[in-house]
Amino acid sequence: MSDQVSFYDEVGGHETFVRLVDVFYREVAADDVLRPMYPEADLAPAAHRLTTFLEQYWGGPSTYGEERGHPRLRMRHRPFHVDPDARDRWLRHMRTALDELSLAPLHEATLWDYLERAAYAMVNTFEPAGIGPRASGSRPALDLNPAPAADASPRE
C-alpha cells in the first residue's frame, strides 16, 4: 500500500493556501475593476470561500463542499461581468500572490497552470463594459437572431 501525499500537503497545507489567498485579496482590494465584483464590504468571507475551495481541490480538507456543496464555478460566476480584462486582472493578482509563496518550480508551474485554465474558463462575456453583478434581464450586446427590418425584402 502506498501512502500518496497530496499536492496540498506537498506545498505546505493550510498556511500556504491562506498566504496565497491573503495576498490575492490584498491586490483585489485595490483593483477598480475586480473590487466591485465583491458585494461584501469585508473581503474575508470571499477569502474563506477561495481558500477552502483551493484546499479541497488540491487534496486538503473538504470544508468547501461541506459548507457550499458542489463548486459549480461557472454558475456561481455567471452574475458577474467576467470579461478578458477582469480575467487578466485576476491572473495578475494571482501571479503576484503565487510569486510571494516561492514554491518549488514544479509546484509553482502546476498551480499556475490550474489558475490560468480556471480564469479562462470563467470568462462569460466579451463586452468591454460593466462592473459587478449584471443587471437582471440584461440583453446580449449582439442579437444572434435579429428580426428582419420592416422594409427588407427576402433574398432569393
Side-chain angles (χ1 to χ4, degrees), residues 101-150:
L101 291 180
S102 300
L103 296 176
L106 181 58
H107 292 133
E108 181 274 325
T110 300
L111 185 51
W112 181 247
D113 178 65
Y114 168 76
L115 294 169
E116 206 169 32
R117 286 182 290 114
Y120 274 80
M122 293 305 106
V123 171
N124 58 24
T125 185
F126 289 92
E127 296 176 38
I131 294 176
R134 290 187 191 175
S136 61
S138 65
R139 295 176 39 103
L142 175 62
D143 189 351
L144 299 179
N145 296 303

Side-chain angles (χ1 to χ4, degrees), residues 48-95:
H48 172 75
R49 291 187 298 269
L50 181 56
T51 300
T52 58
F53 169 77
L54 290 171
E55 287 178 326
Q56 180 173 307
Y57 182 87
W58 292 104
S62 59
T63 307
Y64 184 90
E66 292 163 11
E67 292 177 357
R68 298 186 50 87
H70 190 280
R72 300 177 299 203
L73 293 179
R74 290 211 27 105
M75 182 201 77
R76 292 185 195 275
H77 289 82
R78 187 176 313 136
F80 302 96
H81 187 99
V82 183
D83 64 5
D85 179 48
R87 174 202 62 214
D88 294 347
R89 287 167 180 264
W90 192 92
L91 283 169
R92 183 171 59 244
H93 302 320
M94 268 301 177
R95 183 75 255 170

Side-chain angles (χ1 to χ4, degrees), residues 26-55:
R26 178 192 75 207
E27 299 296 313
V28 166
D31 189 296
D32 62 338
V33 170
L34 295 185
R35 180 58 182 101
M37 290 188 191
Y38 296 88
E40 300 159 314
D42 179 8
L43 290 173
H48 172 75
R49 291 187 298 269
L50 181 56
T51 300
T52 58
F53 169 77
L54 290 171
E55 287 178 326

